[in-house]
Amino acid sequence: MYPDHPTHRTPVPAAEVHRPVPIVPAPTPLPVNAPSTTPELATIVLPDGRTITGYTIASAQPAPVAAKPPVSRVAVNIALGGVGFLAVSGGLLILTSFIAALTAFVSQLVILAAVIFGGWIAVQVLGHRERGAGTTVNIRKATFKRNHFHG
């Protein structure tokens, strides 16, 4: 048979099975207390006659009082306000100079437009005209009688 033919079957090798082996952690040794860290045994006799024996507990130490800062908070706030004002003033100075430059630019554009438009109007009014285009009227001897023109 042909190995590429669909009816040709090749034997499948047996599958290998791997089983995981659990890892057992090594036992950790118990910590040994140093003799100085072992608390002492204490015995207390209660008023009713019972006796209680146990380890002593170190009393809780109060938290240390925070030291007063050498500079008052009001002075720090005033200084921070001054720093903030200086930072804002620089920005306002830049903004003011930008607005002034923009105003100067717009005014120069308006002046330029006025000069160009005024020059165009002057050329239209005072410019060269053709003399034969209009109607010429020559009045030589005209008489007016009773507000009526006789030519």
Side-chain angles (χ1 to χ4, degrees), residues 98-126:
F98 174 75
I99 291 173
L102 187 64
T103 305
F105 178 70
V106 169
S107 65
Q108 287 178 359
L109 285 180
V110 168
I111 291 170
L112 180 65
V115 167
I116 291 174
F117 185 70
W120 182 76
I121 294 292
V123 167
Q124 296 299 318
V125 171
L126 303 174

Side-chain angles (χ1 to χ4, degrees), residues 69-89:
V71 179
S72 70
R73 292 181 187 255
V74 175
V76 171
N77 288 339
I78 290 173
L80 289 176
V83 170
F85 179 75
L86 287 177
V88 170
S89 297

Side-chain angles (χ1 to χ4, degrees), residues 1-150:
M1 292 232 138
Y2 301 105
D4 293 339
H5 196 271
T7 59
H8 180 72
R9 296 186 186 181
T10 58
V12 177
E16 294 181 21
V17 177
H18 295 281
R19 301 204 187 273
V21 177
I23 299 174
V24 179
T28 58
L30 295 174
V32 178
N33 288 340
S36 63
T37 61
T38 305
E40 297 180 19
L41 285 174
T43 303
I44 299 173
V45 178
L46 296 176
D48 60 356
R50 293 183 293 165
T51 304
I52 299 174
T53 304
Y55 292 103
T56 60
I57 299 174
S59 62
Q61 297 292 331
V65 178
K68 193 171 187 179
V71 179
S72 70
R73 292 181 187 255
V74 175
V76 171
N77 288 339
I78 290 173
L80 289 176
V83 170
F85 179 75
L86 287 177
V88 170
S89 297
L92 290 177
L93 180 65
I94 292 172
L95 182 65
T96 305
S97 61
F98 174 75
I99 291 173
L102 187 64
T103 305
F105 178 70
V106 169
S107 65
Q108 287 178 359
L109 285 180
V110 168
I111 291 170
L112 180 65
V115 167
I116 291 174
F117 185 70
W120 182 76
I121 294 292
V123 167
Q124 296 299 318
V125 171
L126 303 174
H128 176 60
R129 291 187 187 167
E130 294 182 14
R131 297 289 178 202
T135 304
T136 304
V137 178
N138 294 322
I139 302 175
R140 293 195 178 145
K141 288 185 178 180
T143 56
F144 290 92
K145 292 184 180 178
R146 296 188 194 121
N147 294 330
H148 191 283
F149 176 71
H150 296 282

